[in-house]
Amino acid sequence: MPKHAANEPNGTSSHKDDFASDERIGLTEAFSPVSAAVDPTEDRSDEEGRIGLTEAFAPVADGAHAGGFSYRGDNADEYPDAFESLEPVEAPPLLFGDDPVAVQPEPAKGKHGKKDKPFVPPHQRKSRRMRKILIAIVILLILLMGALCFFVWQWFEESRLVAAQQAQEQQSAQEVGAMQQSQSETKDASTTVAKKTQVPSLTSLLGMTKDEAVTALKRGATETSSKEVNEEGNPVKTNVTVALTDEPADTRSGTPTVYLGLNEEGKVIQAGYSAATASLGYGSLSFVDAVKNEHIVEKTLQEAGVSVPEGSVELPSDKSTYSEYASDGTTLVKETCSFSGTVEFGGAPHQWSSVLLYNYSTANTSGNLADTIRIIYVYINA
């Protein structure tokens, strides 16, 4: 019997102490380390279901805790990391089947910003560059061909005009030689071409009315036009054109024509005449020869009733004053010169004028010098 049992009556106190010792778990026993020598066949299901305070926090191997509890990393889906959960998550696809990686937001741009150019594969860029180069080459070739055609046409026209001018000069030289030969034989050059018409007496028409002048002219004189003149200080108020239809017409210059200038009273105060030089018997003379050697102006005026001494009409020393050239500067297109003077008849002075015209436009085009238009005009004023 224990020592303290003797002091307790009927053994009551000893019995209570044993009961208390069996029911309570001492602090040392509760936190005592688990024995490693455990029978593996022993059923410990009830004990494993309970985790004591010491076992829960007791360190075990490889970072595992007692009772099977272990720490899981931040990569586990059930236990996300606290800092990781604060990071932005990619937005889900807007529609089913959309690849969230392929759908990327457009970068923010300003109001006037330029849009990004669409991506073009390298072979397409090369193809576009080659097409541009080919188009530029084609355009350049077209321009070069146009320029070549233009220069060829210019060269052809200039060659033709130069050939016509050379032929004209050659023919003129031949005519001058023939004229000099005829002069040496004391023959008049005007007789080398048959004269087809006569110059009417213009002085006799001065002072007549229009009808009287038309009647006096005869030769099939027919009024073809009449035009009023409104020029201050000009005594001529009406210009009347009369064609001599019975005279032989020239194929290039037309029918010989008379021009009447009427004053306010209807009287002729100016009379003129025009005809082809060939019709007057002068042939294909050069411009200079016709004026200097043949004295065509003086002879025509004399036939019209105006006595002008031969040799009194002279050409200007500068040929450019009466010559007109083409754009090439060498092809002669026209030669024209006007002459004027004063003569006395009927006891009063009268003013005369004359114009000699050579037009080579048709001859330059055809290449035939015979197509040159040669016309002479003579006028006499009252």
Side-chain angles (χ1 to χ4, degrees):
M1 179 178 297
K3 185 178 181 179
H4 59 271
N7 297 327
E8 294 296 334
N10 300 323
T12 306
S13 176
S14 175
H15 175 73
K16 291 180 181 179
D17 294 338
D18 293 338
F19 178 77
S21 62
D22 294 334
E23 294 293 328
R24 295 191 301 271
I25 299 173
L27 182 60
T28 305
E29 184 180 357
F31 291 91
S32 62
V34 179
S35 176
V38 178
D39 187 4
T41 61
E42 185 179 358
D43 184 11
R44 298 180 58 87
S45 61
D46 293 337
E47 294 181 5
E48 289 176 359
R50 298 190 301 272
I51 301 175
L53 183 60
T54 305
E55 292 176 3
F57 293 94
V60 294
D62 297 333
H65 293 275
F69 177 81
S70 63
Y71 175 79
R72 298 187 180 184
D74 297 340
N75 297 330
D77 295 338
E78 292 81 6
Y79 301 95
D81 187 82
F83 292 100
E84 235 181 80
S85 62
L86 298 177
E87 296 178 357
V89 182
E90 293 183 357
L94 300 179
L95 300 175
F96 292 104
D98 290 347
D99 186 6
V101 177
V103 180
Q104 297 182 358
E106 248 184 58
K109 296 182 180 180
K111 184 177 180 181
H112 301 287
K114 295 183 179 178
K115 292 186 179 180
D116 293 337
K117 296 182 179 179
F119 174 75
V120 181
H123 68 278
Q124 291 187 4
R125 288 198 302 269
K126 184 176 180 181
S127 177
R128 291 180 182 178
R129 184 165 58 251
M130 289 300 297
R131 283 198 300 269
K132 292 179 181 178
I133 294 174
L134 290 175
I135 291 172
I137 292 174
V138 169
I139 293 174
L140 182 60
L141 289 175
I142 292 173
L143 294 177
L144 290 176
M145 290 178 64
L148 181 61
C149 293
F150 174 77
F151 286 119
V152 169
W153 178 80
Q154 284 285 92
W155 174 80
F156 176 76
E157 289 295 324
E158 291 180 3
S159 300
R160 187 173 61 178
L161 294 176
V162 170
Q165 185 178 6
Q166 291 176 351
Q168 176 185 350
E169 293 177 353
Q170 184 178 2
Q171 183 174 353
S172 297
Q174 293 175 356
E175 292 174 352
V176 170
M179 182 188 66
Q180 291 176 350
Q181 183 179 0
S182 63
Q183 286 180 349
S184 63
E185 296 175 356
T186 66
K187 292 182 180 179
D188 191 352
S190 61
T191 61
T192 58
V193 177
K195 193 172 183 178
K196 301 176 183 179
T197 185
Q198 296 289 333
V199 180
S201 176
L202 300 179
T203 56
S204 63
L205 301 178
L206 297 177
M208 294 183 179
T209 63
K210 179 183 67 175
D211 295 336
E212 293 174 348
V214 170
T215 303
L217 286 171
K218 301 179 182 179
R219 308 181 189 181
T222 304
E223 180 181 347
T224 58
S225 65
S226 180
K227 183 179 179 180
E228 299 293 331
V229 178
N230 295 319
E231 294 181 4
E232 186 178 355
N234 190 351
V236 177
K237 301 302 179 184
T238 305
N239 283 326
V240 179
T241 302
V242 180
L244 305 179
T245 58
D246 289 346
E247 296 289 333
D250 185 75
T251 57
R252 289 173 292 274
S253 59
T255 305
T257 306
V258 174
Y259 308 94
L260 302 176
L262 308 179
N263 60 9
E264 294 180 354
E265 299 177 356
K267 302 290 186 179
V268 178
I269 59 174
Q270 184 183 73
Y273 174 78
S274 68
T277 58
S279 298
L280 297 177
Y282 291 98
S284 300
L285 297 174
S286 67
F287 192 83
V288 176
D289 291 335
V291 175
K292 286 186 176 181
N293 299 326
E294 287 302 314
H295 308 290
I296 188 173
V297 176
E298 297 94 315
K299 291 179 179 179
T300 305
L301 286 171
Q302 289 176 0
E303 291 186 33
V306 181
S307 179
V308 177
E310 291 188 8
S312 60
V313 175
E314 296 180 355
L315 282 172
S317 57
D318 186 4
K319 184 179 180 180
S320 62
T321 58
Y322 58 87
S323 301
E324 181 178 340
Y325 294 88
S327 58
D328 58 3
T330 57
T331 304
L332 187 62
V333 176
K334 184 187 298 184
E335 286 180 304
T336 179
C337 188
S338 59
F339 312 94
S340 61
T342 304
V343 64
E344 290 189 6
F345 63 89
H350 297 269
Q351 185 177 8
W352 63 267
S353 61
S354 177
V355 176
L356 182 62
L357 170 64
Y358 276 29
N359 192 326
Y360 304 101
S361 300
T362 305
N364 292 334
T365 303
S366 64
N368 186 3
L369 192 60
D371 292 332
T372 303
I373 299 174
R374 300 177 176 89
I375 304 176
I376 186 171
Y377 299 83
V378 291
Y379 295 88
I380 184 68
N381 296 335

